Amino acid sequence: MLIDFTPDKALYPFESRWFESSAGRVHYIDEGSGIPILFCHGSPTWSFLYRKIITELGDRFRCLAVDYPGFGLSERPPGYGYTIAEHAAVVGELVDHLGLDQFVIMGQDWGGPIGAAVGVDRADRVRGLVLGNTLLWPTDTWPQKAFSRIMSSSPMQRRILRDNLLVERFLLAELRDTISEAEADHYREVQPSPEARRGIAAMPGQILAARPFLEQLATDVPARLGDTPTLLVWGMKDMAFRPASFLPRMRATFADHRVLELPDARHFIPEHEPGAIAEAIVQRFR
């Protein structure tokens, strides 16, 4: 299943590219030139999340952003499990297919562990990390565990599939005063039907189900990427990834880190503060 939606060039002025991964056909963009930077999105977003940062960086970086299977314009392949491990494997295939070397990885939300897993397996090719409002270990906070259990329940799964709940009530409710209606429609229209939403519906359950994957990541990231130059970017009003709970461990994980605190930003930081994030990336990695 492919998504029949063409982004507005005024909002998403990029050429769509396609990669035939082992899981199915994957959509990505590859814009600009210079140091490669790979953007890994979370849920329930897609590469559209990074459009403003990519526009800012395109004259100084080679910007790549991929939609995981089940997200954005990528295929909804039969038999795909929509697990974090599967997403990381697909992104890794794309990285190897493109021959990326000395590249920076940016990950927000689930893009953090997905991007970090890609980096762990290619540590000698990673130039730097940009991590925002994310985690790299199993969660032990009760709000996230409760969210995972509630959103994985049958009644809530029906609402996610039928009503596009994660997009409407979590993503767009937060961004109500930040993006235009046309931009909001770009998040809606890539998830146009219950069948198209199976990928995003699976993600809340991964908070608990991906625990073995995250346990391994908690060991591998400090061991293999702990000395990698890192930029930590945090929306300080994020109720899901509260800075007091997550930033200290992030700081401790990376010996060579800088922190950009965004005082008024909530969870979806590339929408709230794209200019500040782009400038921090330039200052850190140019």
Side-chain angles (χ1 to χ4, degrees), residues 78-282:
Y80 191 73
Y82 301 110
T83 67
I84 302 306
E86 286 173 300
H87 292 325
V90 167
V91 177
E93 287 180 23
L94 176 62
V95 166
D96 294 342
H97 170 74
L98 296 173
L100 298 187
D101 193 22
Q102 296 307 300
F103 63 103
V104 176
I105 300 169
M106 179 169 184
Q108 183 269 339
D109 188 83
W110 276 119
I114 290 169
V118 171
V120 160
D121 289 341
R122 298 157 184 84
D124 60 334
R125 293 158 54 188
V126 176
R127 182 188 186 101
L129 299 168
V130 184
L131 299 168
N133 297 76
T134 188
L135 53 67
L136 303 173
W137 52 82
T139 183
D140 291 316
T141 63
W142 72 262
Q144 291 188 332
K145 289 182 175 180
F147 178 82
S148 181
R149 293 190 179 100
I150 292 167
M151 289 297 159
S152 299
S153 68
S154 295
M156 296 309 293
Q157 284 286 295
R158 284 195 295 271
R159 291 194 62 192
I160 292 168
L161 294 172
R162 183 191 66 203
D163 303 329
N164 210 9
L165 181 73
L166 293 177
V167 170
E168 296 292 345
R169 294 294 299 275
F170 291 92
L171 172 63
L172 298 183
E174 175 178 323
L175 300 179
R176 183 182 299 111
D177 300 322
T178 303
I179 64 175
S180 69
E181 192 63 19
E183 290 171 310
D185 283 343
H186 277 62
Y187 287 114
R188 294 183 176 109
E189 292 180 22
V190 294
Q191 303 291 355
S193 68
E195 184 62 29
R197 297 170 193 148
R198 296 196 179 279
I200 63 171
M203 296 304 268
Q206 284 292 295
I207 295 171
L208 296 177
R211 187 175 188 91
F213 175 89
L214 293 168
E215 286 174 341
Q216 188 63 51
L217 207 60
T219 298
D220 291 344
V221 169
R224 305 211 62 196
L225 297 173
D227 293 329
T228 303
T230 300
L231 173 64
L232 303 174
V233 184
W234 226 263
M236 302 301 282
K237 291 186 176 179
D238 186 353
M239 294 296 99
F241 291 84
R242 295 173 184 265
S245 299
F246 290 89
L247 265 178
R249 185 165 177 178
M250 280 289 186
R251 289 176 181 270
T253 297
F254 301 102
D256 181 8
H257 71 264
R258 297 179 191 173
V259 180
L260 172 65
E261 296 183 0
L262 303 171
D264 297 319
R266 294 171 67 185
H267 182 64
F268 297 101
I269 53 174
E271 290 286 12
H272 291 296
E273 295 284 358
I277 296 170
E279 181 58 30
I281 290 171
V282 170

